[in-house]
Amino acid sequence: MLRNGLEPWHLLIVAIVFLVLFGSKKLPDMARSLGKSARILKSEAAAMKSDGGPAAERASGGGPAAPAPAATQPSGSAPAGDRDRDRDRDR
């Protein structure tokens, strides 16, 4: 029944379906972002291999990770308390 899994005309049909679904403008952007993601994944995997991975870090007593940076507010926005107070005052 399934002699050959994917024949060339199967791939052509899949390509046409993608083109119809996503449009010709979105496909290059999607391919570019997929390539960037694959590159990042590959570099992170190589870094984990060279570092010995997370298991080696726990065994060597790498200690706790550095604390996350404090959250900053975008410029021009008021702190949450000020916004609430302003909203209550406007009522």
Side-chain angles (χ1 to χ4, degrees), residues 2-88:
L2 284 176
R3 215 178 26 200
N4 295 330
L6 285 176
E7 294 182 11
W9 65 274
H10 289 120
L11 297 176
L12 180 65
I13 291 174
V14 169
I16 290 171
V17 168
F18 271 101
L19 190 62
V20 168
L21 287 177
F22 297 109
S24 61
K25 290 185 179 184
K26 285 280 189 183
L27 285 178
D29 294 336
M30 289 173 47
R32 194 172 300 119
S33 65
L34 184 64
K36 284 181 183 178
S37 299
R39 237 176 294 141
I40 291 170
L41 180 65
K42 185 178 177 182
S43 67
E44 291 295 325
M48 285 181 70
K49 280 184 181 178
S50 67
D51 291 343
E57 184 178 313
R58 277 182 274 159
S60 67
T72 59
Q73 294 179 356
S75 62
S77 68
D82 292 344
R83 284 192 304 250
D84 293 341
R85 187 173 47 247
D86 292 341
R87 187 185 65 222
D88 291 341

